Amino acid sequence: MRTNPNPLTAVRNLGILAHVDAGKTTVTERILYATGTTHRRGEVHDGTTVTDFDPQERDRGITIFAAAVSCAWNGHRINLIDTPGHVDFADEVERSLRVLDGAVAVFDAVAGVEPQSESVWRQADRHGVPRIAFVNKLDRAGADLDTAVASIRERLHPAPLVVQVPIGSESGFTGVVDLLRLRALTWADGSDTAQEGPVPEELREEAKRRRRILEEAVAELHPAALEEFCERSTLAPQTLASALRDLTRSGDGVVVLCGSAYRNRGIEPLLDAAVAYLPSPLDVPAVRGMHDGAEQERPADPEAPFAALAFKVNATATGRLTYLRIYSGTLEKGDTVRDADTRRTERIGRILRVQADRHAQLERAVAGDIVAVAGLKSARAGSTLCAPDAPLVLEPPGVAEPVVSMAVEARGRADGDRLVTALARLAEEDPSLVVRTDPETGQTVLSGMGELHLEVAVEKLRRAHGLQVNVGRPRVTYRETVGRGVSGLVYRHVKQDGGAGQFAHVVLDVEPLDGEFEFRSTVVGGRVPQEYVRAVEAGCRDALADGPLGGHPVTGLRVTLTDGATHVKDSSDTAFRTAGRLGLREALRTCAMILLEPVAEVTVTVPEEAVGGVLGDLAARRGRVTGSSARPGATAVTATVPLAELFGYATRLRSRTQGRGTFTARPSGYAPAPVSTPVR
C-alpha cells in the first residue's frame, strides 16, 4: 500500500539575498510572474513591483523592508522573503535569515561578488542556511559568467558548481545550456517560456568539457559520486542531481545558475533548482529551545506542541501584524498562545497568508508555514510564541548595535506626545532603531545603522505619522579603550550613616585586551569571598557604560582583582559592587585612554577619468585606500574611511563624477580617532 508523502516535503522557505542593485527584487518579480502569482511583470524603475510596495522603496528604487510572498511551482509551495541589499538594513536580513531554510544569492554578472554580497553571505553562514547562486544580468555589457564564478570562489570560498553555460553573450544572450541533461533552453524575444532543444553545434564541445569539470568537482566532494565516477568515469544525471542536493544542503558546494531576470531568462530553471536542491522544513534539523534551563527539540510536525518565532512586526494605525515562522504544531484562528518572553497569553485574531502588502485569510497554519497574525499586543521581533501548556524559548535573531545617532524633535509643541508614540512604533517594527533621551541635553536621540537608515526612519515619521520634525546632524557612536593600563590601584569604599554601614576594599589591575572585556580574580586566602568577587565584576561592568574621555562605552580591557579586604559586619554584595564600579572608574582616569571611532569599508566605483579626484577626496576624508580593481569602463576603489567622514559623501561623489559614481559602505569595526577629534 502506497503512503502519501508528508506535505511538508513540498514546502520551501527561501530568501533572496544580494548586494544592492544586483537584481534581487527583479528576480522575485519574475518568480511571481513565472508561477502565475502575478499577471504583469513589475519593474523597479517604474515603481510597480509587488515586494517594494512602500512609497520610500519606490521613490528610492531600493529594497528597504523585507517582504514576504508565497507562490506555487510544480506542486511545491514556495514562501519567499525579498531582503534588502543596502548595508544600513542588514538587520532586516538577519531577522529573515533566522527563519529561512534556504536562500538564493543573486550576483551581478559584471561586478561579481560585491561588498554587501559578501556580508549577507557571511550572515547566511552564521545561520547555516544552504544557498544556490544566480548570476544575473548576463545581458549587460561586460558580463562574464566565469569572472563572476571566480569572484565567488575567491571571496566567499565555497566550491562553485556551475550547472549552466550561457548561450550568447551581452546583448546576444538568449539562453542557457543545462549541463545535467545536456539540453539547451532558449527564450525568444517577447516569449515568457523557455524552448527546449539540442545544444547548439558551436557549443557542444564546450558543454561536454564543462560537464566533465562539473562531474570531477562533484566527485571530489561527494563520496558516493566519487565511487561511481571511479567505476564508470562519468556520473549519471540522477547521481549528479542527488550529489548536488547533498552538497548544497551540507554547505560543501554551491550550485551556480545564470540568466537575466530583467529579460525573464533563466527564471524557470532557477525555480526548478530551488525545489530540487534547497531543503524543505523536514530536511533541516529540528528547532531547539530552552525551558527551565534544559534544551528541548521540536520537530517540524503539525501534531507536536506549537512553537513559532516572531521575526517581523508591522505596527500600523489599524493594528499590529506579527510575522511568524511556525516550527512545530498547528495554529488555528482563535487559539490562545503564550509569549515566552513576557509570559503572557494572547489570542490569535486572524491568520494571514502574506503577499507583500496584500493578505489572504487562513483558518489554520501548520509547522513549516510563514504567516502573519493579527491580534497580538505584546509580541516583538524575536519573541517566541508557544502552546500555553508546553512553554519553550527559541533563540531570537541578533540585533546589531547602532553606530549613528541624530537628535529628533517635533516642530510644534502639541506634537510632542505624538512623536514619542511614533518613535516607539518605529522601534517596535525595527529593533535596530534605538530611541533614548540624552540625560545632559534632554533631547530625544534616534540611533540606527547608518545615515540612510535614519533618513528612512525620519521620512516615515513624516509620511506615515504626519509629523513635521526637526533633526540634528547625524553623529557617530564612539568607544573608549585602554592604551596603557595601571597596576595595584587601591579603592576603599566606606560609608557609615547610622545603622549597618558599607565597607569594601579592592585592589585592581587594568590592562589592554584584544577583545571587549574580561574580568578575573587572583585573590588567594579567601580575602575576598567568591560572592563578593562576582559583585566586583558586576560593578566593573557597570563602569564600562561611560568612559573618562567623553562618557562613551569602554571596551578592550582586562580587569584583575588582585587583593581586597572585608569587614565582618559592614561588607555586602552592594558594597563590593559599588567598590568595583567606582574603583574601575578611578583606574580608567589613571590609565592612558584612546578614543575609538567607527570605520567603514567603502567601495567606490567611478569612471576611469575620475579616479584621481576620488582618491584625493578619500584622502581628505582620512580614508586609507586598500585596493583597486578594473571593471569594464570603470574602476572600483576600496578604502577604509571613518564613518563620521561619510556623511554627505553620496552628494559629493555625484557632483565629482557627473552622477556616474556609486559607492557602498559596510561597518568594519573601530579604529583610534585623531587626538583632535571632539569627544562629544
Side-chain angles (χ1 to χ4, degrees), residues 111-133:
V113 176
E114 297 173 273
Q116 189 60 10
S117 306
E118 189 171 351
S119 294
V120 296
W121 190 274
R122 300 300 173 220
Q123 286 179 282
D125 280 342
R126 289 198 306 273
H127 289 280
V129 175
R131 282 138 283 168
I132 60 177

Side-chain angles (χ1 to χ4, degrees), residues 393-418:
V393 178
L394 302 176
E395 182 183 356
V399 179
E401 199 171 323
V403 295
V404 179
S405 302
M406 66 165 54
V408 182
E409 64 178 16
R411 288 186 184 172
R413 288 186 178 180
D415 289 337
D417 291 341
R418 289 179 59 214

Side-chain angles (χ1 to χ4, degrees), residues 254-400:
V254 56
V255 171
V256 180
L257 301 98
C258 59
S260 168
Y262 178 69
R263 294 198 179 186
N264 206 29
R265 295 173 182 174
I267 299 302
E268 299 102 313
L270 176 62
L271 283 164
D272 290 336
V275 166
Y277 305 132
L278 293 174
S280 74
L282 292 176
D283 298 320
V284 298
V287 70
R288 294 175 179 268
M290 300 296 294
H291 176 56
D292 287 343
E295 190 175 64
Q296 295 184 4
E297 278 191 357
R298 291 284 171 86
D301 181 358
E303 303 301 322
F306 174 72
L309 186 72
F311 67 95
K312 184 178 176 66
V313 173
N314 271 358
T316 66
T318 57
R320 299 170 81 254
L321 280 183
T322 306
Y323 292 74
L324 305 178
R325 161 65 192 268
I326 301 177
Y327 285 100
S328 67
T330 299
L331 183 67
E332 296 188 355
K333 180 181 176 182
D335 278 355
T336 298
V337 298
R338 174 187 171 96
D339 184 334
D341 296 336
T342 63
R343 300 185 178 181
R344 294 175 53 183
T345 56
E346 299 201 63
R347 184 176 176 275
I348 301 296
R350 291 180 296 157
I351 304 174
L352 306 169
R353 176 80 66 205
V354 182
Q355 290 295 112
D357 59 339
R358 299 187 297 274
H359 312 96
Q361 293 205 39
L362 302 173
E363 291 300 316
R364 65 200 297 266
V366 299
D369 271 333
I370 292 179
V371 295
V373 297
L376 302 183
K377 297 178 181 178
S378 64
R380 300 290 185 266
S383 296
T384 300
L385 301 178
C386 55
D389 58 351
L392 187 74
V393 178
L394 302 176
E395 182 183 356
V399 179

Side-chain angles (χ1 to χ4, degrees), residues 20-21 44-45 47 52 54-65 86 88-89 451-460 462-463 650 654:
V20 64
D21 203 34
V44 173
H45 54 270
D52 283 357
D54 187 89
Q56 287 202 70
E57 293 179 311
R58 294 185 170 180
D59 289 349
R60 298 175 187 269
I62 61 171
T63 300
I64 296 172
F65 309 105
H86 197 286
D88 281 19
F89 309 103
E451 191 176 9
L452 179 59
H453 191 202
L454 295 182
E455 281 182 18
V456 168
V458 170
E459 188 63 24
K460 195 165 187 178
R462 292 170 175 150
R463 293 190 183 193
R654 282 195 292 267

Side-chain angles (χ1 to χ4, degrees), residues 101-116:
D101 301 325
V104 177
V106 181
F107 300 95
D108 187 316
V110 177
V113 176
E114 297 173 273
Q116 189 60 10

